[in-house]
């Protein structure tokens, strides 16, 4: 990005468009797995990531942390952060708008003591023989689930040559493993890991992975989260079914048309529940930059749902002057 910005300054034949991302990057969970079906384990994992350091080193000043199922380019995010203003609203509506924030979202800052406390209270207090876990002699914690000992063990799908995924894995290996967890690393292509997450091949090999997602221009989480996981299809990819979350999605889905404040209030309620359940660990949302010759006219990626659609409206002239 820095090089591209310099290019547009130094070379009059190039220009740029920059716009906020309508999506986010995250650590994905397969919550139907025995160890990850526990909310406490998912929260403990989140407390083992120094996300602030990760985000600042990976996206620098071109992105920011997020704490829920949202991107910084969505209108409701900007409204909740106070950077989007509504026109022609009453004083009562203005007062209500000021209360509609994301301040109640848990940031899950790095806290290894909190992570350990969550694991212990959730029952991960046994070793492989069923005796009390001894941190001086045992390496992996176990918990009795359904009468069987289940290890605190995870398979991490690591995208080949992906710097961000490797950084996330390194932090989990340094912070989560010493608490009594096991992480088995399997390298794979991003496409295969995504197929695994979406169950397009009917198979789930990985418990955790680093993924990214851009939302549709019409945001409706009910469509994505209402189904119970049945081992097939792409519905409810995280595998988590929570009746409260589904009801909040449905309430959001049924918001009267044009009632933006009501929609915003319902969206925040959904985000707060998502933040509590953690079907994923939200990491960051960033700013996109497109660099292109001035000979490319009518190219407006910031105003379209995706890059191909923006390209369809563009035309390429013989020179920048035409």
């Amino acid at each position: 990005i820095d090089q591209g910005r310099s290019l547009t300054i130094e070379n009059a034949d190039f220009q740029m468009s920059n716009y906020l991302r309508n999506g986010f990057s995250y650590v994905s969970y397969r919550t139907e797995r025995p160890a990850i079906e526990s909310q406490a384990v998912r929260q403990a994992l989140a407390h083992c990531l120094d996300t602030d350091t990760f985000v600042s080193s990976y996206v620098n000043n071109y992105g920011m942390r997020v704490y829920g199922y949202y991107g910084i380019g969505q209108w409701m995010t900007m409204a909740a952060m106070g950077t989007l203003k509504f026109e022609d609203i009453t004083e009562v509506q203005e007062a209500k708008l000021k209360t509609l924030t994301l301040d109640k979202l848990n940031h899950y800052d790095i806290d290894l003591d909190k992570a350990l406390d969550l694991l212990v209270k959730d029952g991960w207090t046994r070793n492989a023989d069923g005796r009390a876990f001894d941190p001086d002699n045992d390496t992996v914690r176990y918990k009795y689930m359904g009468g069987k000992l289940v290890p605190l063990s995870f398979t991490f799908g690591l995208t080949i040559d992906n710097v961000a995924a490797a950084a996330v894995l390194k932090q989990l290996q340094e912070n989560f493993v010493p608490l009594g967890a096991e992480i088995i690393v399997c390298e794979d292509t991003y496409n295969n890991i995504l197929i695994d997450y979406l169950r397009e091949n009917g198979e789930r090999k990985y418990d955790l992975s680093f993924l990214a997602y851009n939302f549709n221009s019409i945001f409706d989480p009910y469509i994505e989260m209402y189904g119970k996981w049945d081992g097939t299809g792409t519905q409810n990819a995280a595998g988590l079914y929570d009746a409260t979350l589904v009801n909040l999605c449905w309430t959001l889905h049924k918001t009267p048309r044009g009632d933006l404040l009501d929609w915003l209030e319902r969206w925040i309620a959904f985000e707060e529940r998502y933040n509590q359940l953690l079907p994923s660990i939200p990491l960051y949302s960033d700013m996109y930059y497109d660099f292109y010759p001035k000979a490319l006219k009518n190219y407006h990626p910031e105003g379209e749902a995706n890059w191909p659609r923006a390209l369809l409206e563009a035309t390429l002239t013989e020179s920048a002057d035409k």
Side-chain angles (χ1 to χ4, degrees), residues 146-167:
K148 297 181 180 180
L149 277 172
V150 175
L152 192 63
S153 177
F154 310 90
T155 300
F156 190 101
L158 177 64
T159 307
I160 299 171
D161 296 328
N162 187 300
V163 175

Side-chain angles (χ1 to χ4, degrees), residues 26-33 36-37 42 69 196-199 204 206-207 211 224-225 227-230 233-241 245 274 277-281:
Y26 59 99
V27 176
S28 64
Y29 288 139
R30 281 65 163 173
T31 64
E32 75 277 1
R33 301 299 183 92
I36 311 180
E37 69 179 17
R42 298 195 298 271
Y69 194 67
D196 181 87
Y197 181 61
L198 298 177
R199 300 188 298 270
R204 301 266 263 193
Y206 308 121
D207 301 305
L211 292 175
E224 301 168 16
M225 299 184 182
K228 286 188 176 181
W229 187 83
D230 61 2
T234 59
Q235 198 71 47
N236 192 7
L240 176 71
Y241 180 80
L245 185 67
Y274 189 98
L277 295 172
L278 280 192
S280 69
I281 304 178

Side-chain angles (χ1 to χ4, degrees), residues 250-264:
W250 177 247
T251 301
L252 182 63
H253 179 81
K254 297 297 290 183
T255 305
R257 184 183 298 274
D259 194 342
L260 297 183
L261 286 183
D262 194 20
W263 204 96
L264 182 61

Side-chain angles (χ1 to χ4, degrees), residues 1 4-5 8 14-20 287-292 296 298-303:
I1 293 175
R5 294 179 66 182
T8 60
F14 287 89
Q15 58 187 331
M16 74 175 183
S17 293
N18 61 293
Y19 45 100
L20 299 177
M287 180 177 290
Y288 285 155
Y289 281 78
D290 286 22
F291 304 97
Y292 49 95
L296 185 65
N298 199 35
Y299 178 63
H300 299 289
E302 73 282 359

Side-chain angles (χ1 to χ4, degrees), residues 209-220:
S209 56
F210 174 83
L211 292 175
Y213 183 66
N214 285 346
F215 302 108
N216 292 324
S217 55
I218 300 176
F219 181 77
D220 190 353

